[in-house]
């Protein structure tokens, strides 16, 4: 049975948003990607408006629903997806709209600024709130889904760096760079702790549950997103350091990205094995399937950033390949979601008739 509209479903917005951004960004290498980016952006806005309206309607009917999503730790973790979904949609809007309709560029960046502000505040509150809940309490066995509320500040770091040139004053630009760097380290520190505990548990204590097989991809969100963030922040921070130090920032970003992507290789291998195990053994559909999209997208984004930072074409080729994997995963999740929602709707509509009979 699929859950009702709520935070658990915003993974679909995350995956759709980053797919729109990447298909537009890599459109020079992928035939047809420009048109696909527009389709994905429109789909993302429909998903966002539809999900938010449906969730708001649930809360209006039963105000206790909102409090329940905050008290229940597993559901609280999924609020991180709301933050990342909003951030991903804002970034996609600012990437796709100016490329197709230049006259709307300023409006697109304004929308991105609003969504970035909302997503960043929500992401920081979710990350800190979740971290506090973990301290000194029996919250059950560690799991990779604990990373969902931890990754949002890293997404804010990357998307915030993209916003810097579009601010009117230099002090505002510097402030945004500082905020983005703070978000980077907040997510990095919390992510290292949470994922180290989760990996230790699943590798040494108890295997990843079959139903949660796709959650093995969640830690890759930090790997790919932090690589992309390091590159984006290095570019923007160069405007606020001495000219002779600019090269050092680029070197540090390239070194960091190389280390993170290297560490990500065995994590990708493990996630692939877990996912294949899940499908082979009849893993039931859940909104968690969308974990196959956004983390993969962040790896693609990180590789693309490294291609620009290092000038190594191999990173760009790898980014194109990973983007194709992302699009395949998105299609898989979209079809599975439509089927599950349709089956749930049909089952719900028939239930009263069966009960009456």
């Amino acid at each position: 049975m699929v859950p009702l509209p709520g935070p658990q479903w915003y993974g679909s917005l995350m995956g759709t948003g980053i797919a729109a951004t990447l298909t537009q960004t890599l459109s020079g290498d992928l035939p047809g990607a420009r048109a696909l980016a527009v389709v994905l952006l429109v789909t993302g806005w429909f998903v966002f408006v539809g999900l938010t309206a449906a969730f708001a309607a649930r809360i209006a009917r039963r105000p206790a629903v909102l409090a329940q999503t905050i008290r229940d730790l597993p559901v609280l973790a999924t609020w991180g997806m709301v933050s990342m979904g909003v951030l991903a949609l804002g970034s996609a809007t600012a990437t796709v709209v100016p490329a197709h309709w230049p006259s709307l560029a300023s409006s697109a960046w304004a929308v991105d600024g609003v969504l970035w502000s909302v997503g960043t505040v929500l992401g920081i509150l979710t990350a800190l709130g979740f971290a506090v809940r973990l301290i000194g309490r029996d919250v059950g066995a560690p799991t990779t889904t604990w990373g969902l509320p931890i990754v949002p500040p890293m997404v804010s770091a990357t998307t915030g760096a993209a916003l810097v040139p579009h601010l009117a004053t230099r002090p505002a630009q510097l402030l945004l760079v500082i905020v983005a760097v703070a978000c980077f380290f907040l997510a990095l520190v919390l992510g290292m702790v949470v994922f180290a505990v989760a990996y230790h548990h699943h590798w040494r204590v108890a295997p990843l549950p079959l139903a949660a097989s796709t959650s093995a991809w969640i830690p890759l969100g930090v790997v790919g997103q932090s690589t992309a963030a390091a590159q984006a922040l290095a570019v923007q921070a160069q405007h606020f350091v001495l000219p002779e130090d600019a090269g050092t920032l680029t070197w540090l970003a390239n070194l960091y990205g190389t280390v993170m992507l290297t560490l990500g290789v065995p994590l990708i291998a493990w996630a692939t094995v877990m996912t294949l195990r899940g499908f082979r053994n009849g893993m039931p559909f859940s909104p968690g399937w969308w974990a196959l999209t956004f983390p993969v997208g962040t790896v693609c984004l990180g590789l693309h950033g490294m291609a620009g930072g290092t000038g190594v074409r191999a990173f760009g080729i790898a980014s194109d390949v990973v983007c194709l994997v992302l699009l395949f995963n998105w299609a898989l999740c979209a079809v599975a979601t439509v089927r599950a929602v349709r089956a749930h709707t049909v089952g719900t509509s028939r239930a009263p008739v069966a009960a009456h009979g």
Side-chain angles (χ1 to χ4, degrees):
M1 182 176 179
V2 297
L4 296 173
Q8 301 99 313
W9 282 106
Y10 277 78
S12 61
L13 179 59
M14 294 166 56
T16 305
I18 198 167
T21 297
L22 288 169
T23 47
Q24 181 60 55
T25 302
L26 303 178
S27 58
D29 298 332
L30 304 175
R34 275 177 57 85
L36 180 58
V38 175
V39 173
L40 288 169
L41 178 61
V42 173
T43 302
W45 274 102
F46 272 112
V47 170
F48 174 59
V49 173
L51 266 181
T52 304
F55 185 37
R58 282 186 63 202
I59 295 173
R61 289 192 299 267
R62 289 187 55 212
V65 167
L66 181 60
Q68 289 172 359
T69 64
I70 297 174
R71 287 196 300 265
D72 187 346
L73 190 69
V75 181
L76 172 62
T78 63
W79 271 97
M81 294 194 293
V82 180
S83 168
M84 290 185 283
V86 170
L87 292 166
L89 182 61
S91 178
T93 301
T95 303
V96 177
V97 171
H100 293 262
W101 303 279
S103 62
L104 299 176
S106 59
S107 298
W109 283 106
V111 170
D112 186 23
V114 172
L115 294 181
W116 183 86
S117 300
V118 172
T120 297
V121 170
L122 180 59
I124 292 175
L125 290 176
T126 304
L128 294 178
F130 189 82
V132 170
R133 288 282 295 274
L134 294 179
I135 299 174
R137 303 185 186 186
D138 183 8
V139 293
T143 173
T144 46
T145 57
W146 282 6
L148 289 174
I150 303 303
V151 181
M154 191 65 77
V155 182
S156 292
T158 309
T159 54
L163 275 170
V164 170
H166 299 275
L167 297 183
T169 66
R170 188 172 176 82
Q173 292 176 346
L174 177 59
L175 177 60
L176 184 52
V177 169
I178 293 173
V179 171
V181 171
C183 287
F184 177 95
F185 284 105
L186 172 64
L188 183 62
V189 172
L190 292 179
M192 289 176 64
V193 174
V194 167
F195 288 130
V197 172
Y199 278 128
H200 177 269
H201 179 78
H202 291 311
W203 291 352
R204 303 294 297 273
V205 180
L208 191 68
L210 180 67
S213 296
T214 55
S215 70
W217 289 95
I218 294 175
L220 272 301
V222 168
V223 172
Q225 196 72 57
S226 68
T227 299
Q231 290 291 333
L233 289 171
V235 170
Q236 299 306 325
Q238 288 178 10
H239 302 293
F240 302 97
V241 299
L242 296 174
E244 57 267 26
D245 295 329
T248 302
L249 292 177
T250 301
W251 180 82
L252 288 173
N254 291 340
L255 175 63
Y256 176 86
T258 301
V259 172
M260 288 301 289
L261 292 175
T262 301
L263 292 175
V265 171
L267 304 185
I268 291 173
W270 180 69
T272 301
V273 170
M274 290 298 98
T275 302
L276 293 176
R277 179 205 65 166
F279 284 120
R280 186 174 59 250
N281 293 310
M283 172 181 59
F285 173 80
S286 74
W289 279 31
W290 284 96
L292 292 170
T293 58
F294 190 81
V296 174
T298 66
V299 173
C300 176
L301 193 64
L303 288 167
H304 178 72
M306 287 292 289
T310 63
V312 177
R313 178 56 184 159
F315 284 121
I317 296 174
S319 179
D320 294 340
V321 172
V322 176
C323 185
L324 294 176
V325 174
L326 166 63
L327 294 176
F328 173 82
N329 290 352
W330 185 93
L332 172 68
C333 293
V335 171
T337 297
V338 171
R339 287 181 175 177
V341 171
R342 181 183 299 168
H344 174 74
T345 303
V346 172
T348 301
S349 62
R350 288 179 177 175
V353 176
H356 185 269

